[in-house]
Amino acid sequence: MNAETILKDHLLKIIDLNDEQFSYVFSHFKPMSFKKGQVIIAEGDKVSCEYFVTAGCLKSFYINDDLKMFILQFAMPGWWASDYNALYNDIKATISVDCITDAEVLCISNADREKLCSEIHAVEHFFRWRTNKGYVAAQKRLLLFMNNDAKHRYEELLNTYPQLYNIVSKQLIAAYLGVSRETLSRLYHG
Amino acid sequence: MNAETILKDHLLKIIDLNDEQFSYVFSHFKPMSFKKGQVIIAEGDKVSCEYFVTAGCLKSFYINDDLKMFILQFAMPGWWASDYNALYNDIKATISVDCITDAEVLCISNADREKLCSEIHAVEHFFRWRTNKGYVAAQKRLLLFMNNDAKHRYEELLNTYPQLYNIVSKQLIAAYLGVSRETLSRLYHG
DNA sequence: GAAAGCATGTGACCTGCATCACATTTATAA
DNA sequence: TTATAAATGTGATGCAGGTCACATGCTTTC
């Protein structure tokens, strides 16, 4: 399935757009290809775009002062990624985004998204819906962190993203769970 | 300042509405008063509304199987609160909301919010903006959790909400920070 | 296909924070 | 005001998970 179709399906699941409207919306997205390991947003960058994944897998992550990495999100096809704090507030990136595998994305600038949102009410509705989803998911994850130990978080991850386990290295899984790679290793052996 | 003015200022900071439009929007909100300790949303309730705080202080929280409480948010005047997962997805509440002090709120149903969003583009824009804010804040808090120990989270809280410290009991502060009340006590004494 | 570089497994040890226990101080209600 | 309950402080103890160290296995790449 090509990138355009993936985006179209994604939007039409939530809102109604006729062909002409969708073409207009789509014309604001720029297809881009990346190789495994390539960095899309680096810490300190000016962030002007967000990315809709159509193939492959990205991660968004934060690196602290001790160079320890924390993964906020894995982005598979049909998911969006960026440093939203930087994007919305026009500040430098603190969150980075890079490619876990070769990847294809559709890139849209913040300015173009805002333009489309103000021109087409349905598009604004779509983005409100999408952010609602993200907000609820972030809250759930926060509770998961506060409430559960590493073992429970690990089991939850297996249930929620069984595919991920084969694609992604254990180190990255550990960085997503917020435990050391040693502890993760001990969770599913010993 | 009365409830209507607080809501008006809050909306007009982000969007343009003429007096007639604002009156129409406002007519969908129902003012409600609560006493300290009163429960607004209890676990298991059907959730049909969200609440805009105009006076006092609410908390939204989760209670786990061991009866331990985790606070997601304190809601002061100008903040919104509900169980958004339950509200959007029409499921029973897992998050509760109650009053830390006597409080005044403006209540709007999910149905009415959606109606206003579809009738008035600017209102949809407002709610997209609001959820964006919430999403970014939730992500920041998640990182704070993954990255920092209890002491740092405590110091961060003091910086972010110095007012809260006088209003809210240490137990609740601890439940917000995700540490035991004993540990919190030791952080600022010993 | 050898060499260099990652990813993973596993032991030893340490530490931050939870839990339990109980004293003390501060609210709330009768 | 007094009685009862709730909030807070503080010691003793236990454990989940971090860190360091090193061995083994798996990929790249030249």
Side-chain angles (χ1 to χ4, degrees):
Chain A
M1 205 158 61
N2 68 24
E4 181 167 356
T5 312
I6 296 174
L7 180 63
K8 190 169 187 176
D9 288 358
H10 181 66
L11 293 177
L12 295 191
K13 231 177 282 172
I14 307 305
I15 57 172
D16 288 323
L17 289 177
N18 62 37
D19 286 354
E20 191 192 344
Q21 284 177 313
F22 175 74
S23 294
Y24 178 68
V25 169
F26 184 67
S27 73
H28 293 79
F29 284 85
K30 186 173 143 212
M32 300 176 80
S33 294
F34 294 98
K35 287 281 159 201
K36 177 174 176 174
Q38 260 192 285
V39 175
I40 299 180
I41 298 174
E43 195 197 324
D45 281 0
K46 176 171 170 39
V47 181
S48 54
C49 293
E50 62 176 307
Y51 303 88
F52 177 74
V53 181
T54 57
C57 183
L58 315 183
K59 67 175 191 284
S60 66
F61 59 100
Y62 171 75
I63 307 247
N64 76 1
D65 299 340
D66 305 331
L67 301 183
K68 203 162 138 182
M69 179 183 23
F70 301 91
I71 294 180
L72 279 170
Q73 195 199 25
F74 296 109
M76 314 277 280
W79 294 62
W80 299 77
S82 190
D83 177 344
Y84 286 102
N85 188 33
L87 188 68
Y88 296 138
N89 300 122
D90 195 28
I91 56 179
K92 303 281 181 196
T94 53
I95 307 294
S96 307
V97 176
D98 71 11
C99 300
I100 293 178
T101 66
D102 291 358
E104 306 282 327
V105 305
L106 293 170
C107 164
I108 185 168
S109 71
N110 196 55
D112 278 346
R113 176 174 28 69
E114 290 304 312
K115 181 171 84 94
L116 288 174
C117 280
S118 83
E119 287 172 351
I120 304 175
H121 191 156
V123 172
E124 181 116 48
H125 182 76
F126 171 79
F127 280 104
R128 177 167 70 91
W129 173 86
R130 186 205 59 177
T131 307
N132 277 164
K133 281 276 183 199
Y135 176 64
V136 167
Q139 271 205 178
K140 264 193 191 160
R141 188 147 174 236
L142 187 62
L143 274 182
L144 195 67
F145 248 89
M146 295 206 278
N147 191 10
N148 297 109
D149 62 15
K151 180 140 206 159
H152 284 124
R153 298 204 299 276
Y154 166 69
E155 281 155 7
E156 175 72 18
L157 178 73
L158 286 189
N159 291 332
T160 317
Y161 308 96
Q163 345 86 11
L164 250 169
Y165 213 70
N166 308 311
I167 302 172
V168 173
S169 75
K170 312 284 155 118
Q171 289 200 86
L172 295 185
I173 301 277
Y176 179 86
L177 292 176
V179 294
S180 68
R181 55 167 206 81
E182 294 93 332
T183 296
L184 177 63
S185 172
R186 284 185 250 265
L187 285 180
Y188 55 87
H189 293 93
Chain B
M1 205 158 59
N2 68 23
E4 181 165 356
T5 313
I6 295 174
L7 180 63
K8 190 169 187 176
D9 288 358
H10 182 65
L11 294 177
L12 294 191
K13 233 178 278 172
I14 306 306
I15 57 173
D16 288 324
L17 291 177
N18 61 36
D19 286 353
E20 192 192 345
Q21 285 177 312
F22 175 74
S23 293
Y24 178 67
V25 169
F26 184 66
S27 72
H28 293 79
F29 284 85
K30 185 172 143 210
M32 299 175 81
S33 294
F34 293 97
K35 287 281 160 201
K36 176 174 178 174
Q38 259 192 286
V39 175
I40 300 180
I41 297 174
E43 195 197 324
D45 281 1
K46 175 169 170 42
V47 181
S48 53
C49 294
E50 62 176 307
Y51 303 88
F52 177 75
V53 182
T54 57
C57 184
L58 316 183
K59 67 175 191 283
S60 67
F61 60 100
Y62 171 76
I63 306 246
N64 76 2
D65 299 341
D66 304 333
L67 302 183
K68 204 162 138 181
M69 179 182 27
F70 300 92
I71 293 180
L72 279 170
Q73 197 200 25
F74 295 109
M76 313 277 281
W79 295 63
W80 299 76
S82 190
D83 177 344
Y84 286 103
N85 188 34
L87 188 68
Y88 295 138
N89 301 121
D90 196 28
I91 56 179
K92 303 280 179 195
T94 53
I95 306 295
S96 307
V97 176
D98 71 10
C99 300
I100 293 178
T101 64
D102 290 359
E104 305 283 327
V105 305
L106 293 170
C107 165
I108 184 169
S109 73
N110 196 55
D112 279 345
R113 174 173 31 66
E114 290 305 310
K115 182 170 84 91
L116 288 174
C117 280
S118 83
E119 287 173 350
I120 304 174
H121 191 157
V123 171
E124 181 116 50
H125 182 77
F126 171 80
F127 280 105
R128 177 167 70 91
W129 173 86
R130 186 205 59 175
T131 308
N132 278 163
K133 281 278 183 197
Y135 176 64
V136 167
Q139 271 206 177
K140 263 194 191 159
R141 188 148 173 235
L142 187 63
L143 274 182
L144 195 66
F145 249 90
M146 296 207 278
N147 192 10
N148 297 109
D149 62 13
K151 180 139 204 160
H152 285 124
R153 298 205 299 277
Y154 166 69
E155 281 156 7
E156 176 72 20
L157 178 73
L158 286 189
N159 290 331
T160 317
Y161 307 97
Q163 345 87 10
L164 252 171
Y165 212 70
N166 308 311
I167 302 173
V168 173
S169 75
K170 312 286 155 114
Q171 288 200 87
L172 295 185
I173 300 277
Y176 180 88
L177 292 175
V179 293
S180 67
R181 54 167 206 81
E182 293 94 331
T183 296
L184 178 62
S185 171
R186 284 185 250 266
L187 285 180
Y188 55 86
H189 292 94

